[in-house]
Amino acid sequence: MSVVNLNAWARPSFIINQATKPKSWVLFHGVNNSHLSTVIKRRRRVASISVSAVLTREDAVEMEEKPAFNFESYMLNKAAAVNKALDDAVSLRDPLRIHEAMRYSLLAGGKRVRPVLCLAACELVGGAETTAMAAACAIEMIHTMSLIHDDLHCMDNDDLRRGKPTNHKVFGENVAVLAGDSLLAFAFEHVAIATPATPTSSSVQIIRAIGELARCIGTEAPGQVVDINCEGLADVGLDRLEFIHIHKTAALLEGAVVLGAILGGGADEEVEKLRKFAQYIGLLFQVVDDILDVTKSSHELGKTAGKDLVADKVTYPKLLGLEKSKEFAAKLNKDALALLAGFDPVKAAPLIALANYIAYRQN
């Protein structure tokens, strides 16, 4: 099912309400993107709220005393916890070569957006970080597998990933393929074995989570195949493009959020609302990725810039143009945030900030 009616949206008559645009609508222009903290600090400034003149002095004092959500600190702390868990999960052992290759890509850095989304969704519905950590690591293992395989000569043929030589350039194509395969298989084992039994993560929830993990991975393959088949074609429409990305980038982001919600003990209604939220931000992630591919350098991105253009792939800027792609990104972000309105705003703050970060990222 389509997330949005792209064809209707893309008509010239479509106009985003200017009042709903974020004040930082320069997100795709001129922001220093060297560090995650730079973007995060900017988001914090944009999100600051001035006290209205109609509030009483007591109300104003009460508002000022409430600590603001520190997204930079949250991301750094969660990423550090995820990195430690990944390091512990995939240790160096015989045969060394394959485990070195697995760890090379798995621990190469990255923003850890997907595992943090998993942890944030778990905590939003009342679960604990430890309950979803194995699932969060599994999501990152699978994401890393997809990057290793995407970079191969038979796929996207890339030599740079996260600012470093791609796995196959260091270990050879044969080991890179096997490293990806091993991460994929181990992801399921890790969820099954390392997820603690809690009131919210009984064996029923764990099995359900494993099923969701398999489902979201299974949907990635059709998206990848359609993406490859569409290279160089002139008649690829918006519906086809959305199918590709809902079944590629968005699928794993959806899995991350849904796994966290399930293991956190979320009600079915909450899980489905968060699923829809994840579909929006998953598509948003890809729209922004397409924009950055044509507006940033390889040095800024940490990967080869402009490769979609060279491969003659269909992208949102190619079909919609750059400005309408930016407008579409803003609409997806707005629709995603609307789905969090019914949750506790304090617990929802990390997911709100993560959605904004995905929208405003610069690499």
Side-chain angles (χ1 to χ4, degrees):
M1 182 177 294
S2 178
V3 171
V4 289
N5 187 340
L6 281 175
N7 289 320
W9 176 86
R11 288 198 296 266
S13 60
F14 178 86
I15 301 175
I16 291 180
N17 185 341
Q18 297 297 315
T20 65
K21 281 188 179 180
K23 294 179 181 177
S24 60
W25 185 238
V26 294
L27 70 108
F28 298 108
H29 305 281
V31 179
N32 184 345
N33 68 336
S34 299
H35 302 286
L36 172 64
S37 59
T38 305
V39 179
I40 294 169
K41 288 174 182 175
R42 190 167 188 277
R43 300 290 341 117
R44 196 189 309 152
R45 291 199 299 271
V46 171
S48 60
I49 303 173
S50 59
V51 178
S52 171
V54 302
L55 292 178
T56 66
R57 183 179 183 83
E58 291 75 14
D59 289 335
V61 170
E62 184 180 350
M63 285 183 64
E64 290 170 359
E65 288 177 349
K66 290 181 179 178
F69 175 69
N70 189 326
F71 183 50
E72 179 181 9
S73 176
Y74 179 88
M75 283 296 293
L76 292 175
N77 289 336
K78 292 296 187 188
V82 169
N83 287 335
K84 183 181 184 308
L86 289 170
D87 190 20
D88 292 341
V90 184
S91 58
L92 273 177
R93 55 188 184 273
D94 287 333
L96 286 179
R97 186 70 171 170
I98 185 68
H99 290 99
E100 285 173 345
M102 292 165 68
R103 287 171 59 85
Y104 175 80
S105 294
L106 187 64
L107 304 178
K111 308 171 190 72
R112 305 306 190 199
V113 170
R114 290 160 187 82
V116 175
L117 278 168
C118 183
L119 300 178
C122 177
E123 293 175 326
L124 174 61
V125 297
E129 175 185 297
T130 53
T131 303
M133 184 57 78
C137 288
I139 290 289
E140 192 67 4
M141 291 173 194
I142 292 167
H143 175 54
T144 302
M145 173 276 296
S146 72
L147 299 182
I148 293 173
H149 286 182
D150 280 352
D151 292 335
L152 293 171
H153 291 305
C154 60
M155 300 290 280
D156 289 348
N157 190 24
D158 213 332
D159 296 338
L160 190 66
R161 174 68 67 180
R162 290 172 174 168
K164 298 179 180 181
T166 48
N167 197 290
H168 67 273
K169 299 298 289 185
V170 177
F171 296 94
E173 286 197 4
N174 52 357
V175 174
V177 170
L178 294 173
D181 292 346
S182 297
L183 284 169
L184 174 60
F186 183 61
F188 287 92
E189 178 185 342
H190 194 59
V191 175
I193 293 176
T195 302
T198 72
T200 65
S201 59
S202 66
S203 57
V204 173
Q205 274 85 13
I206 295 172
I207 292 172
R208 182 181 173 191
I210 291 173
E212 281 285 346
L213 188 60
R215 186 197 60 77
C216 74
I217 299 169
T219 62
E220 284 193 309
Q224 184 72 48
V225 169
V226 174
D227 189 20
I228 293 171
N229 290 341
C230 286
E231 289 181 12
L233 298 182
D235 59 346
V236 179
L238 288 169
D239 288 342
R240 201 65 168 165
L241 181 59
E242 183 182 348
F243 176 90
I244 290 171
H245 295 311
I246 287 295
H247 292 82
K248 281 184 62 182
T249 305
L252 198 54
L253 282 164
E254 178 185 338
V257 172
V258 172
L259 260 66
I262 290 172
L263 295 174
D268 288 347
E269 182 181 349
E270 292 175 318
V271 171
E272 292 311 309
K273 185 177 287 189
L274 288 172
R275 184 192 301 279
K276 191 69 173 178
F277 163 81
Q279 289 173 347
Y280 278 124
I281 64 170
L283 191 54
L284 170 65
F285 195 100
Q286 187 59 51
V287 176
V288 173
D289 219 44
D290 285 355
I291 292 169
L292 294 177
D293 190 63
V294 297
T295 59
K296 298 295 179 181
S297 67
S298 297
H299 175 73
E300 290 171 313
L301 295 178
K303 60 182 180 179
T304 306
K307 63 180 182 179
D308 289 341
L309 183 64
V310 172
D312 200 18
K313 284 192 172 185
V314 59
T315 65
Y316 285 96
K318 184 176 181 179
L319 290 186
L320 298 177
L322 191 57
E323 292 306 314
K324 272 211 172 296
S325 295
K326 294 173 185 177
E327 291 179 4
F328 182 42
K331 182 181 186 302
L332 287 170
N333 192 33
K334 177 186 173 184
D335 291 344
L337 294 178
L339 288 164
L340 299 178
F343 291 96
D344 181 333
V346 175
K347 290 184 177 181
L351 285 179
I352 293 170
L354 278 161
N356 284 329
Y357 172 69
I358 288 171
Y360 306 141
R361 68 192 177 93
Q362 293 294 295
N363 57 24

